Amino acid sequence: MREFRFIKSSYSATASECVEVARNIPGTVAVRDSKRPAGPLVLLTPAAWAAFGAHIAAGMR
């Protein structure tokens, strides 16, 4: 199995509350807290990730 390649969200603060996302494995989006790289991951389908993003964007209007 390949390793996830995480990228920090551009919306994350530089010192706290950082979210990292990996989308390099087909069919899977992995999300983690950058302060806990060995900690738990949330694994989502790309469709679930898109729905989550749409929900967040709708709440920011």
Side-chain angles (χ1 to χ4, degrees), residues 11-60:
Y11 291 98
S12 292
T14 56
S16 63
E17 299 181 20
C18 299
V19 175
E20 293 181 329
V21 178
R23 301 181 69 179
N24 64 299
I25 296 182
T28 305
V29 177
V31 182
R32 73 178 181 187
D33 180 344
S34 66
K35 295 182 299 301
R36 297 182 63 200
L41 298 175
V42 175
L43 300 177
L44 303 165
T45 64
W49 178 247
F52 173 74
H55 179 76
I56 296 299
M60 298 181 83

